[in-house]
Amino acid sequence: MKVYDIHKYDCPDVPKNVSCIGFFDGVHKGHKALIELTVKKAKEADAKPFVITFYPDPSDVIDIKHSGRVENKKHALRSKHIMSLKERLDAFEKLGIEGVMVIRFNKEIMVTEPKDFVDSYLCNLNLAGLVCGYDFTFGIYGSGNCQTLLRDAEGKFAVYLVPQVSYYHKKISSSTIKIDINEGNIKKVNRLLSFDYSILLDVLSADENRIVAINRKPKTICPKKGHYQGYLLHKGKRYDVDINIDEAIEIVGYSNSYKQKSIRLFFTK
């Protein structure tokens, strides 16, 4: 899978593509609905299935205090991530995406008028079609939406809208999944993601039956303090473990043969 770095008026040559657009943190069931439609429409258009995403996280650039939003638990977690960019790229490839265009999000793009975003960015990406969620917004203060996109893209590329994907009649979103991770609702998180939530940790020590690790990436969400169950994968084998989260993360149930500096820990409950 090829990754393209996109800048305004300086877009690399890309093949004819149908792309879905978003930040895609977690690549949850709602995101997968966009990706599945993208793969389908790309095949129909004899084009490549692509993703358009952003780096860094737009939430890291947009000042929440000036966004008109009320501060609450959901918005306090806005700057936290479920997945790193590399993890998102790996997930895209597994779902059949053949290329990713990464738009570098900065203050200039934050204040771009919606029509200018379409003309200056999207129209330079050789799009045969663009797939987005029904509530997709873009441009200055989120003033661009699906209706303005349909209008401004007319005659340039097709636009396909994906309706809300719900869990018990509530929209599945990265924001709500972050809250559930933070509160330790692991079973629910895994249902919303449709895979087991995991986190990459730095190993501090490993002895006879215990690994002590720490999350040194403050941008990555970690469940609250408490006891969990999960597993780790090593040399093609799965090892079920007990997990105790306190100041450090204690992983019990695996021998001291683990010699790596980092460990990916999967949570099941």
Side-chain angles (χ1 to χ4, degrees):
M1 185 181 72
K2 189 166 183 179
V3 179
Y4 301 84
D5 198 9
I6 305 298
H7 298 272
K8 187 176 182 181
Y9 304 125
D10 183 24
C11 302
D13 291 333
V14 294
K16 177 184 174 183
N17 67 88
V18 173
S19 289
C20 52
I21 187 168
F23 189 67
F24 298 101
D25 192 15
V27 195
H28 56 61
K29 285 183 175 179
H31 297 146
K32 288 179 180 179
L34 272 72
I35 292 172
E36 288 169 359
L37 183 60
T38 299
V39 172
K40 178 176 181 289
K41 292 298 182 182
K43 185 175 181 179
E44 292 174 358
D46 193 25
K48 299 290 186 181
F50 272 36
V51 164
I52 299 170
T53 192
F54 302 92
Y55 183 84
D57 183 348
S59 296
D60 293 344
V61 179
I62 298 170
D63 184 353
I64 298 174
K65 292 180 181 179
H66 294 90
S67 68
R69 298 181 182 273
V70 177
E71 288 289 346
N72 57 28
K73 186 180 293 185
K74 180 183 289 187
H75 295 118
L77 292 170
R78 276 170 62 96
S79 63
K80 297 284 188 177
H81 299 149
I82 304 168
M83 284 181 167
S84 66
L85 176 59
K86 182 181 183 305
E87 288 168 335
R88 285 186 284 142
L89 295 177
D90 290 343
F92 296 152
E93 188 168 21
K94 290 177 182 177
L95 292 171
I97 293 299
E98 297 182 26
V100 178
M101 295 181 279
V102 181
I103 295 178
R104 297 289 161 168
F105 197 91
N106 52 34
K107 291 184 178 180
E108 179 184 358
I109 195 170
M110 181 179 73
V111 298
T112 299
E113 294 292 339
K115 189 176 187 306
D116 187 40
F117 179 77
V118 173
D119 293 339
S120 300
Y121 288 90
L122 298 182
C123 284
N124 291 328
L125 301 181
N126 203 11
L127 290 172
L130 184 70
V131 176
C132 59
Y134 73 101
D135 58 350
F136 175 64
T137 60
F138 62 101
I140 186 169
Y141 302 123
S143 56
N145 55 38
C146 291
Q147 296 308 312
T148 64
L149 180 60
L150 285 165
R151 180 195 67 207
D152 295 336
E154 187 175 5
K156 300 167 184 173
F157 52 85
V159 176
Y160 308 101
L161 305 182
V162 175
Q164 177 173 306
V165 178
S166 303
Y167 177 78
Y168 284 97
H169 309 294
K170 292 185 179 180
K171 175 188 172 184
I172 296 175
S173 72
S174 300
S175 298
T176 56
I177 292 173
K178 290 177 186 179
I179 291 173
D180 282 313
I181 293 172
N182 188 63
E183 294 181 347
N185 300 325
I186 300 302
K187 285 187 175 181
K188 180 182 176 184
V189 167
N190 290 346
R191 285 194 290 267
L192 298 179
L193 293 175
S194 74
F195 56 85
D196 291 333
Y197 166 72
S198 68
I199 187 171
L200 186 65
L201 304 169
D202 291 340
V203 174
L204 297 180
S205 64
D207 55 30
E208 184 177 353
N209 196 41
R210 186 180 71 131
I211 296 171
V212 178
I214 193 168
N215 177 24
R216 284 207 175 100
K217 297 179 180 178
K219 286 290 185 180
T220 302
I221 296 176
C222 187
K224 68 178 182 180
K225 292 181 180 181
H227 178 75
Y228 303 88
Q229 291 182 318
Y231 61 92
L232 57 88
L233 302 174
H234 188 50
K235 295 183 179 179
K237 293 184 179 181
R238 169 173 165 158
Y239 297 87
D240 292 326
V241 294
D242 290 323
I243 304 163
N244 296 301
I245 298 181
D246 201 334
E247 297 305 319
I249 299 173
E250 182 185 51
I251 305 161
V252 179
Y254 186 66
S255 71
N256 63 355
S257 62
Y258 195 87
K259 302 298 183 182
Q260 306 300 316
K261 293 182 179 180
S262 62
I263 187 170
R264 178 162 295 281
L265 181 61
F266 296 82
F267 289 77
T268 54
K269 60 182 178 179

